[in-house]
Amino acid sequence: MAPVTTSARTGTGTQGTRLLLIDGHSMAYRAFYALPDTLATSSGQVTNAVYGFASMLTNLLRDEQPTHVAVAFDAGRVTFRTERYAEYKATRDATPEVFRGQVPLIREVLEALRVPALQREGIEADDILATLARQGAEAGMEVLVCSGDRDALQLVTDRVTVLYPKKGVSELSRMTPAAVEEKYKVAPERYPDLAALVGETSDNLPGVPGVGPGVAAKWITQFGDLDSLLERQDELTGKRGEALREHAAQVRLNRELNALLTDVELPLGIDDLAVAGFDREAVHRVSDALQFGALRDRLLAVDPAGHEADAAPGDAVRVTLHDGDLASWLAAHAGRRVGLDVSGVARPGLGDAWQVALATGSDAGEASAVVVDLADLDGAQEESLRSWLADAAAPKAVHGAKSAWHMLASRDLDLHGVTFDTELAAYLCYPDQRGYDLADLVLRHLGRDLAAADDAAQGALDLELDAAAPGSEAAARAVAVVDLAEALDPGLDDRGARSLLDDVEMPLSAVLARMEATGIATDTDFLGGLEASFAQAVATSAAEAYDVIGREVNLGSPKQLQEVLFDQLAMPRTKKIKTGYTTDAASLQDLFTRTEHPFLAHLLAHRDAAKLRTTVEGLLKAVHPDGRIRTTFQQTIAATGRLSSTDPNLQNIPIRTEAGRRIRQAFRVGEGYDVLLTADYSQIEMRIMAHLSGDEGLIEAFRSGEDLHRYVGSRVFDVDPAAVTSEMRAKVKAMSYGLAYGLSAYGLSQQLTIPTGEAQALMDDYFTRFGGVRDYLTGVVEEARATGYTATILGRRRYLPDLTSDNRQRRQMAERMALNAPIQGSAADIIKLAMLGVQHAIDAQELRSRLLLQVHDELVVEVAPGERDAVEALLRDQMGAAVRLDVPLDVSVGSGTTWHDAGH
DNA sequence: AATGCCACGTA
DNA sequence: CGTACGTGGCATTC
């Protein structure tokens, strides 16, 4: 095995106190010019200065381990220097706006890190640093001054080191007395003498012409210091001596100006600069807003109060592969949380598993793992594995326990005792992320490259194990899962997501696994018949369409359709899209009412039939040999907390049209079961809106038992409920639902095909009657803007950094998301709780009936003989009591042999 | 073969 | 100029 390597920290870890002082502007400015302005958030906010600054600060905190930290900023344009010499810094270009805009962001970062930022009107940052450096040195501290201003070099002593940026902001030179002497050939305290002679272009301080650092150093060494030199300037001969005499006044002025003040009065004393733990919540908020990815984690990793993982990021981990049997490994690590990695295929009902890796987390760079092949397991080994996997008291960390469940199920292995699912945890922390690939998360949170461990040829492995050994990758993943669990732990608490993980998502994943494995019975003959019938409709409508235009085109090609509609038939143009003009159903319908062109009718019929046909085809392909269809419920996709359904999607089976609804007749109760039962929440989102807004009118609407839209309509139109026409009801219904999506008056007018003015009036009337709703909706956006996130009734957060975007479109999009996320997300929370309650009740009553599907506000259950009443009762109970709102949760239940018939 | 876009199904 | 998804077909790109 390869030898153990440890990555040493560069900090020496001395006892005593170490004060880190940073010149904020100077370092930020360095970062600004060192990093490309392509570093920006998606909304266009350039972040190169703030990113570079934060990155530098992170490195300093990590490498120097200071006990005290402060950052100083310049404040005010007028300083004693400009008053003394108007031309001071006069040649500097105006600060670029792109830089200036980032300074407040840097302050926000500092605030989140609880690093004091100091400034004083009329005083430059360097003077503040000089003052603090003096105080620190006098207090016996080791002082580090980080500044890109060479004037700071005068502060260097055996106690004070200047960290001067060498390249960008990531490489800093340690300017000790010896280093200053080496570089400038004068002692640090003489450096300002030298600078006075040489001049400083950036400060607009001219030096003595013809005198560079070399000559200046020689003079200073020769005469001792600048004062002596100027006193005895007549001793100098030649051109340079003449030049000095000519510019002596300027040199004196330079020296006066480059002397740093060491007695500035400051609001904070040294003791106030002691490092404090980060405001982790704020770190997340700022990182979200600035879209810090890896930097967020690097920041959190250096939190002085942070719960650091055993292995510091990037540390090498040595994994020992146990070659003994499973039982002895398990015995050796009893009671510890074990990482589990299963290799195989995770398809519900069609899964497979061939290898299982178990591992401890890494501890001081050491981890232990055992890998077993499921194919060649002897009886005793298999029994050890089986009982450990099924042991609810044996704590396990898994990345995606539901997938592992399906793989293990293929070998009749049951999985219990998952106490941490890193995939679900990552989802709760970053719900807007695209994916939660283990290797990506490990790279981001542990700074460890799992992909590199895959490659045996790779020289520098982060994970040191015999990469050629079978199962080494699996072992590496299993170790990483445990370490990742540790790393995600604090973030989970920071976001208040602990209970969501422990009490909702993790238990739910077990429920979902069972639902997926169960599947829903389908009538393939019926589906086959539907396919033929829809195919017939497609053929007929296509033929009729071709007949009208006199040629055959691909009706499924928007491009060819545009040609036919807008060129050949010269119809009025529709709404513009990227590739021309839309041919969507609403526009075609609109064109049809205007032109009554028969082609449009045939085209629309063709669209409908073609869509239904492909839906049926997809379902047919998804039927398993036992006649059931098994979807996968994705639990980490929807940023609001909803589930989604794939392979196939059973959450978008048609219901609105009669033809579409027929597809639901293909989903039927299975052999040995009595009936399908569907239970859905009625108007759950509106009820949540009533609850969250506390609007008395809306709450009363639900308590009255009156039809919601009729009730609301009577208030909006100021008529008796009985006098609400169906047209009025439709308008109010569209508006009520639209509100939860951030619908505009224009959007409402489009949907209802009424003038914008009328739509606006409708909304105004609505808000007059239901002012609490308006206040809630504006309040929820305001709060999200302030906190950076929205929250559901269970505290599920969605971070929306774009709420503060300068880009109007992005900002408004974020605002609509902020309106909708608490409502949609709370509904998701509620049905998730209901599912847990339903499954629990089924188990507790030892019923055979089983949950099959969830469609956002609906559950489908397959009812075993004789359990119909019990199941209906428990569905009503559990769904109705999932949470306590200020309005009742209404549940309606239907039953039938097919999903179609069970619907209502 | 992979990707982007359009269109459309659900809540 | 209405949120959240997944899928399939077409067209374009590699």
Side-chain angles (χ1 to χ4, degrees):
Chain A
M1 279 229 179
V4 177
T5 58
T6 52
S7 77
R9 289 179 177 242
T10 46
T12 51
T14 47
Q15 288 84 27
T17 49
R18 182 177 292 175
L19 170 63
L20 173 65
L21 301 169
I22 298 170
D23 183 333
H25 270 123
S26 143
M27 295 311 291
Y29 219 67
R30 290 277 176 157
F32 178 72
Y33 284 112
L35 299 171
D37 61 6
T38 48
L39 257 180
T41 65
S42 47
S43 59
Q45 167 69 56
V46 177
T47 54
N48 55 353
V50 55
Y51 181 94
F53 183 88
S55 173
M56 171 212 71
L57 181 54
T58 308
N59 291 341
L60 287 174
L61 293 175
R62 181 194 63 206
D63 297 339
E64 308 295 346
Q65 306 258 311
T67 57
H68 297 68
V69 186
V71 177
F73 287 94
D74 297 328
R77 301 171 141 199
V78 182
T79 66
F80 78 92
R81 295 186 178 89
T82 49
E83 290 195 333
R84 179 75 182 77
Y85 179 58
E87 281 81 58
Y88 181 68
K89 292 192 176 176
T91 47
R92 288 209 178 166
D93 291 336
T95 320
E97 202 44 56
V98 187
F99 173 76
R100 200 200 303 265
Q102 294 183 69
V103 175
L105 302 177
I106 290 171
R107 290 176 178 279
E108 280 183 44
V109 169
L110 291 173
E111 207 170 306
L113 304 185
R114 296 212 173 94
V115 170
L118 292 161
Q119 62 192 325
R120 218 184 124 177
E121 189 66 24
I123 300 290
E124 290 185 69
D126 269 355
D127 298 313
I128 297 175
L129 298 185
T131 301
L132 291 172
R134 177 185 58 79
Q135 292 175 6
E138 282 172 3
M141 299 172 111
E142 184 185 345
V143 181
L144 296 164
V145 176
C146 182
S147 173
D149 190 334
R150 275 189 293 266
D151 285 336
L153 292 174
Q154 65 189 272
L155 302 173
V156 170
T157 66
D158 53 357
R159 281 196 184 279
V160 180
T161 301
V162 166
L163 302 174
Y164 186 82
K166 207 188 310 191
K167 202 177 87 186
V169 285
S170 49
E171 279 185 56
L172 303 173
S173 305
R174 290 188 97 78
M175 301 305 285
T176 57
V180 174
E181 187 107 37
E182 157 83 23
K183 178 145 192 209
Y184 297 102
K185 310 296 177 199
V186 295
E189 63 269 23
R190 295 277 69 85
Y191 176 80
D193 293 353
L194 180 140
L197 289 165
V198 176
E200 181 63 75
T201 12
S202 69
D203 291 341
N204 195 27
L205 299 178
V208 181
V211 174
V215 176
K218 203 185 85 193
W219 285 350
I220 290 166
T221 312
Q222 189 183 334
F223 291 89
D225 59 24
L226 185 65
D227 282 343
S228 312
L229 169 66
L230 291 174
E231 253 170 50
R232 298 158 54 192
Q233 50 183 281
D234 295 338
E235 295 174 24
L236 292 171
T237 55
K239 268 216 149 87
R240 291 201 181 103
E242 204 171 307
L244 172 64
R245 284 184 286 278
E246 210 168 296
H247 294 86
Q250 179 68 46
V251 170
R252 282 202 180 85
L253 176 66
N254 288 354
R255 185 62 185 86
E256 200 180 318
L257 294 178
N258 74 17
L260 297 178
L261 304 179
T262 58
D263 54 359
V264 178
E265 253 184 66
L266 296 171
L268 297 179
I270 291 289
D271 293 340
D272 301 316
L273 309 183
V275 296
F278 295 171
D279 179 349
R280 300 178 69 89
E281 177 60 49
V283 174
H284 284 299
R285 194 167 61 236
V286 172
S287 299
D288 280 321
L290 299 177
Q291 295 173 7
F292 287 171
L295 183 54
R296 173 207 309 256
D297 301 299
R298 280 169 54 206
L299 278 167
L300 290 169
V302 297
D303 179 359
H307 344 231
E308 266 186 89
D310 290 342
D315 271 358
V317 173
R318 172 174 163 147
V319 181
T320 308
L321 275 180
H322 180 76
D323 45 12
D325 70 340
L326 203 53
S328 64
W329 189 91
L330 285 169
H333 301 97
R336 281 187 72 174
R337 175 150 76 189
V338 170
L340 169 66
D341 178 83
V342 186
S343 305
V345 179
R347 296 293 307 259
L350 300 170
D352 192 11
W354 47 80
Q355 188 182 59
V356 169
L358 278 55
T360 64
S362 65
D363 186 1
E366 294 282 341
S368 171
V370 61
V371 180
V372 296
D373 270 322
L374 295 172
D376 49 45
L377 222 49
D378 68 35
Q381 291 266 43
E382 182 175 341
E383 206 34 54
S384 300
L385 180 64
R386 176 180 306 282
S387 67
W388 178 77
L389 286 171
D391 184 358
K396 303 165 185 77
V398 188
H399 188 74
K402 181 154 68 66
S403 292
W405 191 98
H406 285 303
M407 292 189 253
L408 295 169
S410 72
R411 293 191 180 256
D412 275 323
L413 295 167
D414 211 356
L415 177 63
H416 291 287
V418 176
T419 57
F420 204 105
D421 187 323
T422 46
E423 189 178 27
L424 293 174
Y427 166 64
L428 288 170
C429 290
Y430 317 104
D432 273 283
Q433 211 164 276
R434 280 216 199 107
Y436 304 91
D437 181 72
L438 177 64
D440 293 343
L441 291 168
V442 164
L443 188 62
R444 174 171 163 189
H445 292 272
L446 304 174
R448 196 186 297 167
D449 194 350
L450 276 184
D454 284 346
D455 186 356
Q458 196 106 7
L461 292 184
D462 290 323
L463 280 156
E464 291 203 351
L465 41 69
D466 185 354
S472 60
E473 295 103 332
R477 285 195 297 270
V479 172
V481 169
V482 188
D483 290 345
L484 185 58
E486 292 257 339
L488 289 172
D489 228 42
L492 213 50
D493 287 321
D494 293 344
R495 292 171 167 74
R498 171 74 52 190
S499 165
L500 275 168
L501 179 67
D502 289 347
D503 306 330
V504 182
E505 302 297 353
M506 288 203 296
L508 183 70
S509 90
V511 173
L512 294 174
R514 285 170 70 178
M515 292 167 64
E516 294 170 355
T518 304
I520 184 164
T522 49
D523 185 336
T524 47
D525 291 344
F526 185 82
L527 278 177
L530 276 183
E531 184 188 19
S533 131
F534 291 140
Q536 181 59 51
V538 168
T540 308
S541 53
E544 288 169 339
Y546 300 152
D547 201 39
V548 172
I549 58 169
R551 65 189 179 113
E552 291 195 8
V553 295
N554 184 345
L555 296 175
S557 162
K559 190 165 166 266
Q560 294 182 41
L561 282 180
Q562 286 179 41
E563 228 174 84
V564 172
L565 296 173
F566 309 120
D567 296 340
Q568 186 181 342
L569 301 178
M571 291 190 181
R573 313 259 151 175
T574 54
K575 199 173 58 177
K576 262 197 99 97
I577 53 172
K578 280 181 190 165
T579 54
Y581 299 91
T582 183
T583 66
D584 66 17
S587 303
L588 294 182
Q589 192 61 57
D590 183 51
L591 279 181
F592 182 66
T593 51
R594 288 161 66 179
T595 66
E596 293 195 358
H597 200 291
F599 175 75
L600 293 167
H602 298 313
L603 175 57
L604 282 163
H606 181 268
R607 277 264 177 85
D608 276 346
K611 174 80 181 171
L612 293 172
R613 184 192 57 188
T614 54
T615 300
V616 171
E617 280 170 353
L619 290 173
L620 272 170
K621 281 186 215 147
V623 179
H624 289 197
D626 66 354
R628 297 181 82 92
I629 290 182
R630 294 178 176 81
T631 184
T632 296
F633 289 107
Q634 301 286 352
Q635 208 179 342
T636 61
I637 296 292
T640 52
R642 273 192 179 179
L643 300 177
S644 75
S645 161
T646 60
D647 300 317
N649 182 355
L650 295 185
Q651 290 181 324
N652 73 341
I653 302 304
I655 194 169
R656 294 186 204 284
T657 66
E658 181 46 44
R661 248 191 320 269
R662 290 172 65 199
I663 297 176
R664 293 191 171 218
Q665 290 176 346
F667 293 90
R668 47 180 312 109
V669 65
E671 274 293 298
Y673 288 80
D674 250 9
V675 76
L676 289 182
L677 219 142
T678 69
D680 62 47
Y681 285 115
S682 57
Q683 296 142 342
I684 188 162
E685 296 199 347
M686 290 306 299
R687 288 170 198 268
I688 288 164
M689 192 138 91
H691 173 81
L692 292 177
S693 69
D695 182 278
E696 285 173 22
L698 204 51
I699 290 173
E700 182 49 34
F702 284 115
R703 290 188 178 159
S704 70
E706 172 79 79
D707 171 90
L708 173 72
H709 305 302
R710 180 168 297 279
Y711 181 100
V712 172
S714 78
R715 295 304 170 96
V716 169
F717 294 107
D718 203 15
V719 297
D720 207 63
V724 174
T725 65
S726 61
E727 200 186 348
M728 288 156 80
R729 188 179 179 282
K731 285 181 179 172
V732 162
K733 184 177 174 182
M735 181 167 52
S736 290
Y737 279 104
L739 288 178
Y741 302 143
L743 186 68
S744 65
Y746 176 85
L748 184 63
S749 74
Q750 289 296 295
Q751 193 190 311
L752 297 173
T753 54
I754 57 174
T756 317
E758 190 185 329
Q760 186 60 58
L762 205 57
M763 293 182 79
D764 291 345
D765 288 344
Y766 182 96
F767 284 134
T768 309
R769 298 297 176 172
F770 302 97
V773 174
R774 181 198 47 219
D775 295 345
Y776 165 71
L777 292 174
T778 53
V780 81
V781 175
E782 279 313 305
E783 196 185 329
R785 213 190 304 280
T787 61
Y789 61 84
T790 62
T792 65
I793 52 177
L794 293 191
R796 181 191 303 276
R797 293 185 189 174
R798 180 171 188 188
Y799 287 82
L800 293 165
D802 274 357
L803 285 174
T804 54
S805 170
D806 320 323
N807 180 318
R808 216 176 72 120
Q809 195 175 324
R810 298 189 71 93
R811 191 175 60 247
Q812 290 181 337
M813 180 69 160
E815 285 170 358
R816 291 193 296 270
M817 290 175 177
L819 286 181
N820 180 249
I823 299 170
Q824 186 184 124
S826 294
D829 288 349
I830 290 171
I831 197 161
K832 282 179 171 179
L833 290 177
M835 292 169 74
L836 293 173
V838 166
Q839 186 61 60
H840 187 263
I842 288 175
D843 292 343
Q845 296 174 41
E846 297 185 340
L847 300 176
R848 282 183 50 234
S849 300
R850 43 201 195 171
L851 267 170
L852 300 184
L853 301 177
Q854 186 252 45
V855 192
H856 309 307
D857 64 359
E858 170 189 8
L859 297 179
V860 179
V861 181
E862 195 169 37
V863 180
E867 297 182 357
R868 157 84 228 239
D869 292 346
V871 171
E872 177 171 349
L874 73 84
L875 277 170
R876 288 189 185 281
D877 277 2
Q878 298 298 331
M879 290 178 73
V883 290
R884 185 132 203 99
L885 301 185
D886 291 338
V887 291
L889 276 178
D890 194 33
V891 178
S892 54
V893 178
S895 65
T897 311
T898 70
W899 193 7
H900 175 275
D901 299 336
H904 20 252

